[in-house]
């Protein structure tokens, strides 16, 4: 799934970086996100960098992730992690909070949320 050129509307590289940083800071700090936090490595540096590169291309900006790692095949890449509805919902709540915290405008936020909802749901690989 690809979000037709929201990249500029979001605010480009600077704001996408800000979003990813806020997202992983929250995941790291808020106990309610511990369920997804514990699936990640202790050091989130690479997780931040990969999500940033992915979102750049996904929103219609430079295809940084694909250039470096090839096709995202996100569902396959998430298979090592048990993801059910609770993990999906935590990931999404964390992302919604990050989008609000950095002050994305409503229209951009709603559009992104639709893409995140669909993608996160697709990532589930557990019955519940
Ligand atoms: C549904 C709940 C999700 C969970 C629990 C989850 C969890 C994870 C974990 C544990 C990693 C590995 C981090 C690392 O290697 O440092 C990862 C990688 C990644 N995630 Fe997710 N994720 C979820 C949803 C999403 C969504 C919705 C997106 C995109 C919109 C996404 C994009 C990525 C990307 C691009 C990577 C790096 C893949 C790689 O190259 O290895 N994830 N995720």
């Amino acid at each position: 799934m690809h979000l037709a050129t929201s990249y500029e509307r979001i605010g480009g590289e600077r704001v996408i970086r800000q979003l990813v940083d806020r997202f992983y800071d929250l995941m790291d700090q808020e106990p309610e996100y511990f369920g997804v936090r514990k699936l990640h490595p202790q050091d989130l540096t690479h997780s931040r960098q990969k999500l940033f590169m992915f979102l750049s291309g996904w929103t219609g900006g430079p295809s940084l992730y694909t250039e470096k790692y090839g096709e995202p095949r996100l569902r396959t890449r998430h298979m090592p992690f048990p993801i059910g509805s609770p993990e999906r919902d935590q990931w999404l709540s964390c992302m919604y909070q990050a989008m609000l915290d950095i002050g994305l405008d409503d229209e951009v936020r709603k559009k992104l949320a639709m893409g995140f909802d669909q993608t996160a749901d697709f990532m589930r690989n557990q019955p519940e």
Side-chain angles (χ1 to χ4, degrees), residues 15-23 55 95 98-99 102:
V15 176
I16 292 177
R17 178 80 70 182
Q18 221 184 333
L19 175 63
V20 169
D21 278 336
R22 185 65 188 147
F23 172 72
L55 292 180
M95 184 55 82
M99 289 196 290
I102 69 161

Side-chain angles (χ1 to χ4, degrees), residues 5-16:
T5 45
S6 324
Y7 185 77
E8 293 303 334
R9 291 229 40 220
I10 294 166
E13 174 174 351
R14 186 182 62 85
V15 176
I16 292 177

Side-chain angles (χ1 to χ4, degrees), residues 15-31 33-55 65 74 77-78 81 83 90-99 101-102 116 123:
V15 176
I16 292 177
R17 178 80 70 182
Q18 221 184 333
L19 175 63
V20 169
D21 278 336
R22 185 65 188 147
F23 172 72
Y24 276 119
D25 286 349
L26 285 168
M27 194 191 282
D28 206 27
Q29 290 159 12
E30 300 296 326
Y33 306 133
F34 182 67
V36 281
R37 175 63 186 93
K38 68 173 193 244
L39 299 175
H40 288 74
Q42 198 183 347
D43 180 349
L44 291 170
T45 311
H46 291 108
S47 316
R48 288 177 197 265
Q49 185 60 11
K50 283 182 160 181
L51 186 57
F52 163 73
M53 292 173 90
F54 173 78
L55 292 180
Y65 183 93
L74 281 188
R77 291 193 204 259
H78 284 76
F81 316 109
I83 302 176
Q90 277 185 30
W91 194 100
L92 285 171
S93 299
C94 188
M95 184 55 82
Y96 298 157
Q97 193 181 338
M99 289 196 290
D101 286 357
I102 69 161
F116 284 133
M123 233 61 91

Side-chain angles (χ1 to χ4, degrees), residues 54-71:
F54 173 78
L55 292 180
S56 172
W58 194 61
T59 56
S63 311
L64 305 176
Y65 183 93
T66 310
E67 279 160 26
K68 184 155 184 194
Y69 302 108
E71 280 301 309

Side-chain angles (χ1 to χ4, degrees), residues 88-122:
R88 172 199 63 191
D89 293 343
Q90 277 185 30
W91 194 100
L92 285 171
S93 299
C94 188
M95 184 55 82
Y96 298 157
Q97 193 181 338
M99 289 196 290
L100 282 173
D101 286 357
I102 69 161
L104 280 187
D105 81 54
D106 278 8
E107 209 182 305
V108 171
R109 196 160 47 79
K110 283 184 191 139
K111 189 169 174 192
L112 280 175
M114 276 169 39
F116 284 133
D117 285 353
Q118 226 180 325
T119 309
D121 192 53
F122 181 60

